Amino acid sequence: MGDFLTIDIQGFKADLPILPLPSGVKIAFFNLHGAVDMTEHCGKKLAEHLKDCEVLITAESKGLQLCHVCARELGHKFYAVARKSRKLYMQDGVGVQYGSSITTGKPQELFLSKHDIDLLKGKKVGIVDDVVSTGESLLGLEKLVNEAGGIITKKAFVLAEGKAAERKDIVYLSTIPLL
C-alpha cells in the first residue's frame, strides 16, 4: 500500500494518497477537484442510481462538480447546494448544525438559500457527495432536506469509507478502508 492506495471505481483506477488526520486515523484521500475524467466517470455512474430523483443536493465543496455532472446527465436544470457558511444572499434561508465529520473533527453547520429551499420542497431528492464515512455530513444534508420539505429518495456516494459500506440506506460505487 505504501503512501498510496490504488482503487478501482467501476473501471476507473485512481491512486489515493494516504494522509493522517489530527485524530491519528489515516485516510485514503479522495479529491475530485480538478480531476475532469474521474469526475465525469463517477458522475455518470452515480446518475444511473438517481433516475427516480426530481432534484439533487450536495454540500460544498468536493460534491459540487460531481453533483453538476449527475444533474446534467439526468437533464436537471438546477441542483441545490448546501453551503458551510451563511452567505449574504441566504438571509431568508435555513441552517442546521450537525456533528463533526471525520476530516474536520469539530461541529459543522450547513445552510440553504430560499431558492434552494423552493427547489427541494415537495420533491423527491437525491443526496450526492464524494465520500461517506461516519455519516455526520450526510446527517446534516438530511436535516436540511427535511427542513426544506423535500423527500429523501436516494443517498449516493462515490466511495463508502470503513463501516459506511455496511449501511443499507446508501448507494456507492466503491469502498475504501480507514487505515
Side-chain angles (χ1 to χ4, degrees), residues 12-13 28 43 49 56 79 85 105 114 116 127 139 155 164 179:
F12 192 99
K13 294 206 184 312
H49 297 279
L56 305 177
Y79 56 92
S85 62
K114 173 81 165 78
D116 286 346
I127 295 173
L139 180 60
K155 298 174 250 184
L179 307 167

Side-chain angles (χ1 to χ4, degrees), residues 138-157:
L138 174 57
L139 180 60
L141 284 167
E142 289 174 314
K143 283 178 152 182
L144 267 183
V145 171
N146 289 329
E147 185 78 19
I151 304 152
I152 299 169
T153 304
K154 283 280 171 52
K155 298 174 250 184
F157 302 87

Side-chain angles (χ1 to χ4, degrees), residues 114-127:
K114 173 81 165 78
H115 172 269
D116 286 346
I117 293 168
D118 293 343
L119 191 62
L120 298 173
K121 188 173 184 159
K123 300 279 183 13
K124 294 189 281 186
V125 178
I127 295 173

Side-chain angles (χ1 to χ4, degrees), residues 34-55:
V36 176
D37 291 342
M38 184 164 53
T39 300
E40 284 289 322
H41 174 82
C42 294
K44 288 175 180 177
K45 291 288 188 182
L46 277 184
E48 294 172 11
H49 297 279
L50 297 163
K51 291 179 180 175
D52 52 346
C53 298
E54 297 172 285
V55 66

Side-chain angles (χ1 to χ4, degrees), residues 2-111:
D3 295 326
F4 289 89
L5 174 68
T6 301
I7 62 169
D8 184 326
I9 306 168
Q10 295 188 4
F12 192 99
K13 294 206 184 312
D15 291 325
L16 308 183
I18 306 298
L19 301 176
L21 297 177
S23 65
V25 171
K26 291 182 181 179
I27 61 168
F29 184 66
F30 181 66
N31 185 10
L32 287 172
H33 287 313
V36 176
D37 291 342
M38 184 164 53
T39 300
E40 284 289 322
H41 174 82
C42 294
K44 288 175 180 177
K45 291 288 188 182
L46 277 184
E48 294 172 11
H49 297 279
L50 297 163
K51 291 179 180 175
D52 52 346
C53 298
E54 297 172 285
V55 66
L56 305 177
I57 185 172
T58 193
E60 66 176 0
S61 73
K62 291 195 300 179
L64 289 173
Q65 61 269 29
L66 179 66
C67 193
H68 179 93
V69 172
C70 291
R72 183 194 67 218
E73 291 298 307
L74 296 169
H76 295 180
K77 299 298 179 203
F78 292 95
Y79 56 92
V81 178
R83 304 293 303 263
K84 293 182 180 177
S85 62
R86 189 183 300 270
K87 305 301 180 193
L88 184 60
Y89 68 91
M90 303 174 98
Q91 300 310 309
D92 56 354
V94 296
V96 297
Q97 292 184 331
Y98 62 97
S100 56
S101 73
I102 192 168
T103 53
T104 63
K106 58 184 179 180
Q108 303 290 300
E109 293 180 293
L110 288 174
F111 300 90

